[in-house]
Amino acid sequence: MRTGQAEIEQPGTRQAGTGQASAGQAGTETFLGAQEHAIAAAIDGLVAVAVRSGPRDISLTAASTLATLDRGGPCRLTDLAEIEGVAQPSMTTLVTGLERSGLAERRPSRADGRVVLVALTPAGADYLRTRRRARAAKLAGLISQLPAAQAAALADAVPAMVGLRDLDTQRRRAVRDSKAVRESEGATL
């Protein structure tokens, strides 16, 4: 990636201009190019800024779980555990805490009364909005300090950043949907 001064090369990425893997990546099917690595590293740094600027009254996993419910709607506890990458007993404990805080609730599924879904409460939705506004305000303050050309470049990148977020939302939905299909197939056998 050209930064205006020098080409960025990261260990384990393509050799600049060759499209080939460096020695650290030989034989690996997937690898990031220097440009993708630089973008990912920059986004990771911004995520760290956003996380540090947010409230710390719940864990990051709890906040992520609320965001999953916000974007995807009510969900089985087992699906939430899989989506968030935690064990089901840990998710049970987390959801119980979110219920006690009034941020989430368990309710029967309309489609199958035997199934219990975890859902975001109005207070949970308000909490997420407040949390997102605080992070956005912190980042907006930093963006306002950038030179105009860099701020404009970020504005131009907004559709791509939204696309990245949407890809993750799709991934999370696919996990939920594939599990639902497996369970329904198991019920018909």
Side-chain angles (χ1 to χ4, degrees):
M1 175 177 172
R2 293 257 175 226
T3 62
Q5 296 176 355
E7 190 134 331
I8 299 172
E9 291 186 50
Q10 301 291 335
T13 61
R14 292 182 194 127
Q15 295 292 330
T18 68
Q20 298 179 356
S22 67
Q25 284 291 325
T28 303
E29 290 183 38
T30 59
F31 56 90
L32 293 177
Q35 184 175 17
E36 292 88 353
H37 184 81
I39 293 167
I43 291 172
D44 185 61
L46 289 174
V47 167
V49 168
V51 167
R52 284 192 306 266
S53 65
R56 298 183 187 225
D57 47 348
I58 65 172
S59 71
L60 292 178
T61 304
S64 179
T65 299
L66 291 175
T68 295
L69 294 170
D70 184 47
R71 288 197 176 102
C75 188
R76 293 176 182 223
L77 195 132
T78 55
D79 295 342
L80 272 177
E82 188 171 348
I83 290 166
E84 297 300 328
V86 299
Q88 185 173 342
S90 297
M91 184 55 70
T92 299
T93 301
L94 188 147
V95 167
T96 299
L98 292 173
E99 282 182 296
R100 286 184 186 143
S101 299
L103 302 175
E105 65 184 5
R106 294 176 208 222
R107 62 169 89 142
S109 167
R110 289 184 184 143
D112 183 349
R114 299 168 297 173
V115 174
V116 175
L117 300 175
V118 179
L120 190 66
T121 63
D126 288 343
Y127 175 82
L128 279 177
R129 271 192 297 280
T130 299
R131 191 175 173 98
R132 288 173 179 152
R133 278 190 208 118
R135 288 192 317 254
K138 173 70 174 181
L139 291 171
L142 293 172
I143 292 166
S144 71
Q145 296 174 41
L146 289 174
Q150 289 179 352
L154 287 175
D156 289 344
V158 167
M161 290 185 276
V162 170
L164 284 172
R165 186 203 60 212
D166 291 348
L167 286 172
D168 184 62
T169 299
Q170 290 169 8
R171 178 196 62 81
R172 289 169 180 256
R173 281 192 185 128
V175 167
R176 183 189 307 187
D177 293 347
S178 69
K179 186 162 179 132
V181 167
R182 287 191 311 266
E183 288 174 356
S184 69
E185 288 172 349
T188 59
L189 294 178

PDB file of all heavy atoms in Angstrom, residues 54-74:
ATOM      1  N   GLY A  54     -15.775   3.875  25.559  1.00  0.00           N
ATOM      2  CA  GLY A  54     -17.131   3.498  25.937  1.00  0.00           C
ATOM      3  C   GLY A  54     -17.275   3.231  27.419  1.00  0.00           C
ATOM      4  O   GLY A  54     -16.290   3.112  28.146  1.00  0.00           O
ATOM      5  N   PRO A  55     -18.524   3.147  27.864  1.00  0.00           N
ATOM      6  CA  PRO A  55     -18.766   2.825  29.270  1.00  0.00           C
ATOM      7  C   PRO A  55     -18.226   1.432  29.590  1.00  0.00           C
ATOM      8  O   PRO A  55     -18.145   0.580  28.727  1.00  0.00           O
ATOM      9  CB  PRO A  55     -20.290   2.855  29.398  1.00  0.00           C
ATOM     10  CG  PRO A  55     -20.846   3.076  28.050  1.00  0.00           C
ATOM     11  CD  PRO A  55     -19.741   3.300  27.096  1.00  0.00           C
ATOM     12  N   ARG A  56     -17.853   1.223  30.830  1.00  0.00           N
ATOM     13  CA  ARG A  56     -17.292  -0.072  31.239  1.00  0.00           C
ATOM     14  C   ARG A  56     -18.164  -0.755  32.275  1.00  0.00           C
ATOM     15  O   ARG A  56     -17.669  -1.469  33.129  1.00  0.00           O
ATOM     16  CB  ARG A  56     -15.891   0.142  31.782  1.00  0.00           C
ATOM     17  CG  ARG A  56     -14.984   0.697  30.722  1.00  0.00           C
ATOM     18  CD  ARG A  56     -13.595   0.837  31.206  1.00  0.00           C
ATOM     19  NE  ARG A  56     -12.833   1.516  30.183  1.00  0.00           N
ATOM     20  CZ  ARG A  56     -11.655   1.139  29.789  1.00  0.00           C
ATOM     21  NH1 ARG A  56     -11.073   0.128  30.337  1.00  0.00           N
ATOM     22  NH2 ARG A  56     -11.036   1.800  28.846  1.00  0.00           N
ATOM     23  N   ASP A  57     -19.454  -0.542  32.185  1.00  0.00           N
ATOM     24  CA  ASP A  57     -20.352  -1.116  33.169  1.00  0.00           C
ATOM     25  C   ASP A  57     -20.772  -2.545  32.865  1.00  0.00           C
ATOM     26  O   ASP A  57     -21.313  -3.225  33.724  1.00  0.00           O
ATOM     27  CB  ASP A  57     -21.575  -0.229  33.363  1.00  0.00           C
ATOM     28  CG  ASP A  57     -22.187   0.213  32.045  1.00  0.00           C
ATOM     29  OD1 ASP A  57     -21.556   0.037  30.996  1.00  0.00           O
ATOM     30  OD2 ASP A  57     -23.311   0.738  32.071  1.00  0.00           O
ATOM     31  N   ILE A  58     -20.538  -3.015  31.624  1.00  0.00           N
ATOM     32  CA  ILE A  58     -20.757  -4.425  31.290  1.00  0.00           C
ATOM     33  C   ILE A  58     -19.557  -4.906  30.480  1.00  0.00           C
ATOM     34  O   ILE A  58     -18.796  -4.108  29.928  1.00  0.00           O
ATOM     35  CB  ILE A  58     -22.073  -4.658  30.509  1.00  0.00           C
ATOM     36  CG1 ILE A  58     -22.044  -3.983  29.139  1.00  0.00           C
ATOM     37  CG2 ILE A  58     -23.288  -4.202  31.314  1.00  0.00           C
ATOM     38  CD1 ILE A  58     -23.241  -4.341  28.264  1.00  0.00           C
ATOM     39  N   SER A  59     -19.403  -6.214  30.391  1.00  0.00           N
ATOM     40  CA  SER A  59     -18.271  -6.782  29.654  1.00  0.00           C
ATOM     41  C   SER A  59     -18.441  -6.560  28.152  1.00  0.00           C
ATOM     42  O   SER A  59     -19.547  -6.299  27.658  1.00  0.00           O
ATOM     43  CB  SER A  59     -18.162  -8.276  29.936  1.00  0.00           C
ATOM     44  OG  SER A  59     -19.226  -8.976  29.305  1.00  0.00           O
ATOM     45  N   LEU A  60     -17.342  -6.698  27.435  1.00  0.00           N
ATOM     46  CA  LEU A  60     -17.405  -6.574  25.976  1.00  0.00           C
ATOM     47  C   LEU A  60     -18.267  -7.684  25.377  1.00  0.00           C
ATOM     48  O   LEU A  60     -18.979  -7.461  24.400  1.00  0.00           O
ATOM     49  CB  LEU A  60     -16.002  -6.606  25.383  1.00  0.00           C
ATOM     50  CG  LEU A  60     -15.133  -5.399  25.709  1.00  0.00           C
ATOM     51  CD1 LEU A  60     -13.732  -5.564  25.105  1.00  0.00           C
ATOM     52  CD2 LEU A  60     -15.764  -4.116  25.220  1.00  0.00           C
ATOM     53  N   THR A  61     -18.216  -8.881  25.963  1.00  0.00           N
ATOM     54  CA  THR A  61     -19.046  -9.979  25.466  1.00  0.00           C
ATOM     55  C   THR A  61     -20.523  -9.669  25.688  1.00  0.00           C
ATOM     56  O   THR A  61     -21.356  -9.936  24.820  1.00  0.00           O
ATOM     57  CB  THR A  61     -18.661 -11.306  26.143  1.00  0.00           C
ATOM     58  OG1 THR A  61     -17.260 -11.531  25.939  1.00  0.00           O
ATOM     59  CG2 THR A  61     -19.446 -12.473  25.572  1.00  0.00           C
ATOM     60  N   ALA A  62     -20.856  -9.091  26.831  1.00  0.00           N
ATOM     61  CA  ALA A  62     -22.243  -8.709  27.092  1.00  0.00           C
ATOM     62  C   ALA A  62     -22.691  -7.637  26.094  1.00  0.00           C
ATOM     63  O   ALA A  62     -23.800  -7.713  25.548  1.00  0.00           O
ATOM     64  CB  ALA A  62     -22.403  -8.208  28.523  1.00  0.00           C
ATOM     65  N   ALA A  63     -21.846  -6.659  25.846  1.00  0.00           N
ATOM     66  CA  ALA A  63     -22.180  -5.600  24.881  1.00  0.00           C
ATOM     67  C   ALA A  63     -22.336  -6.189  23.482  1.00  0.00           C
ATOM     68  O   ALA A  63     -23.253  -5.821  22.739  1.00  0.00           O
ATOM     69  CB  ALA A  63     -21.110  -4.518  24.902  1.00  0.00           C
ATOM     70  N   SER A  64     -21.451  -7.114  23.117  1.00  0.00           N
ATOM     71  CA  SER A  64     -21.544  -7.763  21.810  1.00  0.00           C
ATOM     72  C   SER A  64     -22.825  -8.581  21.698  1.00  0.00           C
ATOM     73  O   SER A  64     -23.482  -8.598  20.651  1.00  0.00           O
ATOM     74  CB  SER A  64     -20.317  -8.651  21.580  1.00  0.00           C
ATOM     75  OG  SER A  64     -20.394  -9.297  20.336  1.00  0.00           O
ATOM     76  N   THR A  65     -23.196  -9.241  22.764  1.00  0.00           N
ATOM     77  CA  THR A  65     -24.436 -10.027  22.776  1.00  0.00           C
ATOM     78  C   THR A  65     -25.645  -9.120  22.573  1.00  0.00           C
ATOM     79  O   THR A  65     -26.545  -9.433  21.785  1.00  0.00           O
ATOM     80  CB  THR A  65     -24.557 -10.813  24.094  1.00  0.00           C
ATOM     81  OG1 THR A  65     -23.433 -11.709  24.187  1.00  0.00           O
ATOM     82  CG2 THR A  65     -25.848 -11.603  24.166  1.00  0.00           C
ATOM     83  N   LEU A  66     -25.661  -7.985  23.253  1.00  0.00           N
ATOM     84  CA  LEU A  66     -26.758  -7.029  23.051  1.00  0.00           C
ATOM     85  C   LEU A  66     -26.791  -6.544  21.603  1.00  0.00           C
ATOM     86  O   LEU A  66     -27.872  -6.425  21.004  1.00  0.00           O
ATOM     87  CB  LEU A  66     -26.610  -5.839  24.003  1.00  0.00           C
ATOM     88  CG  LEU A  66     -26.828  -6.125  25.485  1.00  0.00           C
ATOM     89  CD1 LEU A  66     -26.516  -4.868  26.313  1.00  0.00           C
ATOM     90  CD2 LEU A  66     -28.251  -6.609  25.747  1.00  0.00           C
ATOM     91  N   ALA A  67     -25.632  -6.275  21.031  1.00  0.00           N
ATOM     92  CA  ALA A  67     -25.573  -5.821  19.637  1.00  0.00           C
ATOM     93  C   ALA A  67     -26.069  -6.910  18.691  1.00  0.00           C
ATOM     94  O   ALA A  67     -26.745  -6.614  17.696  1.00  0.00           O
ATOM     95  CB  ALA A  67     -24.155  -5.395  19.280  1.00  0.00           C
ATOM     96  N   THR A  68     -25.741  -8.159  18.981  1.00  0.00           N
ATOM     97  CA  THR A  68     -26.234  -9.274  18.165  1.00  0.00           C
ATOM     98  C   THR A  68     -27.752  -9.329  18.217  1.00  0.00           C
ATOM     99  O   THR A  68     -28.414  -9.495  17.185  1.00  0.00           O
ATOM    100  CB  THR A  68     -25.622 -10.607  18.662  1.00  0.00           C
ATOM    101  OG1 THR A  68     -24.211 -10.572  18.440  1.00  0.00           O
ATOM    102  CG2 THR A  68     -26.220 -11.807  17.941  1.00  0.00           C
ATOM    103  N   LEU A  69     -28.323  -9.177  19.389  1.00  0.00           N
ATOM    104  CA  LEU A  69     -29.782  -9.175  19.525  1.00  0.00           C
ATOM    105  C   LEU A  69     -30.399  -7.970  18.826  1.00  0.00           C
ATOM    106  O   LEU A  69     -31.475  -8.068  18.228  1.00  0.00           O
ATOM    107  CB  LEU A  69     -30.179  -9.189  21.005  1.00  0.00           C
ATOM    108  CG  LEU A  69     -29.806 -10.460  21.766  1.00  0.00           C
ATOM    109  CD1 LEU A  69     -30.034 -10.269  23.262  1.00  0.00           C
ATOM    110  CD2 LEU A  69     -30.571 -11.660  21.230  1.00  0.00           C
ATOM    111  N   ASP A  70     -29.720  -6.838  18.870  1.00  0.00           N
ATOM    112  CA  ASP A  70     -30.210  -5.625  18.221  1.00  0.00           C
ATOM    113  C   ASP A  70     -30.245  -5.794  16.710  1.00  0.00           C
ATOM    114  O   ASP A  70     -31.212  -5.407  16.056  1.00  0.00           O
ATOM    115  CB  ASP A  70     -29.313  -4.443  18.605  1.00  0.00           C
ATOM    116  CG  ASP A  70     -29.811  -3.124  18.054  1.00  0.00           C
ATOM    117  OD1 ASP A  70     -31.021  -2.838  18.190  1.00  0.00           O
ATOM    118  OD2 ASP A  70     -28.989  -2.370  17.499  1.00  0.00           O
ATOM    119  N   ARG A  71     -29.198  -6.374  16.155  1.00  0.00           N
ATOM    120  CA  ARG A  71     -29.116  -6.511  14.698  1.00  0.00           C
ATOM    121  C   ARG A  71     -29.900  -7.707  14.167  1.00  0.00           C
ATOM    122  O   ARG A  71     -30.410  -7.665  13.051  1.00  0.00           O
ATOM    123  CB  ARG A  71     -27.657  -6.613  14.272  1.00  0.00           C
ATOM    124  CG  ARG A  71     -26.934  -5.299  14.412  1.00  0.00           C
ATOM    125  CD  ARG A  71     -25.627  -5.282  13.628  1.00  0.00           C
ATOM    126  NE  ARG A  71     -25.035  -3.968  13.728  1.00  0.00           N
ATOM    127  CZ  ARG A  71     -24.020  -3.666  14.523  1.00  0.00           C
ATOM    128  NH1 ARG A  71     -23.462  -4.603  15.266  1.00  0.00           N
ATOM    129  NH2 ARG A  71     -23.540  -2.446  14.560  1.00  0.00           N
ATOM    130  N   GLY A  72     -29.978  -8.769  14.956  1.00  0.00           N
ATOM    131  CA  GLY A  72     -30.584  -9.995  14.445  1.00  0.00           C
ATOM    132  C   GLY A  72     -31.915 -10.376  15.041  1.00  0.00           C
ATOM    133  O   GLY A  72     -32.547 -11.320  14.598  1.00  0.00           O
ATOM    134  N   GLY A  73     -32.330  -9.673  16.074  1.00  0.00           N
ATOM    135  CA  GLY A  73     -33.592 -10.008  16.714  1.00  0.00           C
ATOM    136  C   GLY A  73     -33.429 -11.115  17.742  1.00  0.00           C
ATOM    137  O   GLY A  73     -32.324 -11.592  17.996  1.00  0.00           O
ATOM    138  N   PRO A  74     -34.544 -11.525  18.344  1.00  0.00           N
ATOM    139  CA  PRO A  74     -34.502 -12.561  19.380  1.00  0.00           C
ATOM    140  C   PRO A  74     -33.806 -13.824  18.886  1.00  0.00           C
ATOM    141  O   PRO A  74     -33.877 -14.171  17.702  1.00  0.00           O
ATOM    142  CB  PRO A  74     -35.984 -12.823  19.677  1.00  0.00           C
ATOM    143  CG  PRO A  74     -36.667 -11.550  19.306  1.00  0.00           C
ATOM    144  CD  PRO A  74     -35.905 -11.036  18.114  1.00  0.00           C
TER     145      PRO A  74
END
